[in-house]
Amino acid sequence: MRRPKGLFLFTAMMLSTCAPRAPAPPTWLDLVCTKPFEAQSEAIKRQPGLVPAGEVGSEPYSYYSSPDGRVSYLITRKGSPAYPAIMIQKAQATVATTGCRYGSKKGYDELLAYLEGLKTWRRK
């Protein structure tokens, strides 16, 4: 006895919906420079799975990264010449650094140049 094709397709579709699905990879917030500094800083910090590096030495910045290191945020703290500012680095084939300047243009430009310089830094 032949089974109708429609019944086979229906059964296959129903079984595939029961199979466990791999979790979707996390998506990380992009910067929206029209959003106020404090609101954007808090939204970044609240992202589930984001790894805080905390304070590094005496630098007036806080760092946060995705577990795979593909996305990193730098949030300036009071005392930084660039305060208030937020930077994001996205690593793909190359590392792209962008950010939102809320304060001093000169301080922001110096911070951006510093981060860009780290891309070519090599330990001797």
Side-chain angles (χ1 to χ4, degrees):
M1 177 172 163
R2 288 180 49 179
R3 292 190 178 124
K5 285 183 183 178
L7 180 60
F8 174 76
L9 289 173
F10 176 76
T11 303
M13 285 176 25
M14 292 305 293
L15 289 174
S16 71
T17 60
C18 297
R21 295 203 172 129
T27 55
W28 305 102
L29 293 177
D30 279 324
L31 298 183
V32 179
C33 296
T34 55
K35 193 177 215 180
F37 174 78
E38 288 298 329
Q40 185 149 235
S41 297
E42 290 306 313
I44 289 168
K45 294 174 195 176
R46 284 193 307 268
Q47 294 180 95
L50 197 63
V51 180
E55 298 177 16
V56 179
S58 63
E59 292 185 348
Y61 316 113
S62 295
Y63 300 93
Y64 302 86
S65 296
S66 62
D68 63 5
R70 291 176 136 336
V71 176
S72 295
Y73 301 92
L74 178 150
I75 301 174
T76 60
R77 295 193 318 266
K78 289 181 181 175
S80 165
Y83 180 81
I86 302 171
M87 307 296 277
I88 185 172
Q89 288 189 321
K90 294 181 182 180
Q92 294 175 357
T94 61
V95 176
T97 305
T98 58
C100 298
R101 175 181 63 84
Y102 298 93
S104 164
K105 179 178 178 358
K106 181 180 181 226
Y108 176 87
D109 290 345
E110 288 172 358
L111 177 59
L112 182 58
Y114 167 73
L115 292 175
E116 291 293 319
L118 291 177
K119 293 178 188 178
T120 58
W121 182 83
R122 300 284 182 254
R123 182 172 289 181
K124 295 180 183 183

